[in-house]
Amino acid sequence: MILTWWHKAIINLISSRKNGVVQEFEFMNGPLLVKGIKLSDDIVELQFIKEKKDSEHIFFTCQTSINKFKRTLLNSTKKLLKDIKKRNWQSDDIEELEKMWSILSNK
């Protein structure tokens, strides 16, 4: 599940004490991805990339707060998990997302 991947990526950015660490925020299919490069304890540069056969094209770059990104991801996931529970859906992917949400919530 994409949100699980994104939780793992942001956890790795937060946990790393080094600047310059790169994490990829991937999508399920296609050539698009976002690379996050940790610039400081609370700043990440996001590079929006379209992968090509032999190269990458960065079509947008911005910097944002890691903590704000984390809060937004947590809030969105919380809403999704609430809706999933209402529908009584269960799967290994949902359990993994709940686990990653809990870990990130405590970072």
Side-chain angles (χ1 to χ4, degrees):
M1 185 178 285
I2 295 167
L3 285 176
T4 302
W5 301 341
W6 284 35
H7 277 70
K8 289 177 182 178
I10 196 97
I11 288 167
N12 288 336
L13 283 176
I14 292 168
S15 298
S16 175
R17 294 183 180 182
K18 295 182 191 177
N19 293 338
V21 171
V22 177
Q23 288 294 307
E24 292 185 354
F25 296 87
E26 298 178 293
F27 298 91
M28 189 66 74
N29 293 324
L32 302 176
L33 71 100
V34 179
K35 279 189 183 175
I37 303 165
K38 185 174 183 171
L39 300 180
S40 70
D41 285 343
D42 190 43
I43 301 296
V44 63
E45 178 177 287
L46 300 175
Q47 297 177 343
F48 295 78
I49 297 170
K50 182 173 184 177
E51 294 181 312
K52 298 183 178 182
K53 189 173 183 175
D54 297 326
S55 64
E56 295 179 340
H57 171 68
I58 299 171
F59 59 90
F60 183 74
T61 301
C62 67
Q63 293 181 5
T64 191
S65 162
I66 294 172
N67 287 313
K68 287 182 183 178
F69 187 0
K70 171 188 156 183
R71 282 193 305 271
T72 301
L73 182 60
L74 286 170
N75 289 337
S76 298
T77 303
K78 184 178 181 178
K79 290 176 186 177
L80 175 64
L81 289 171
K82 185 177 178 180
D83 193 51
I84 285 170
K85 286 184 189 224
K86 277 185 193 176
R87 297 168 190 261
N88 292 318
W89 292 346
Q90 296 178 350
S91 74
D92 291 342
D93 287 335
I94 294 168
E95 287 179 24
E96 181 70 10
L97 180 58
E98 289 173 330
K99 177 182 167 186
M100 290 297 107
W101 183 86
S102 178
I103 291 169
L104 184 57
S105 295
N106 293 307
K107 289 276 179 194

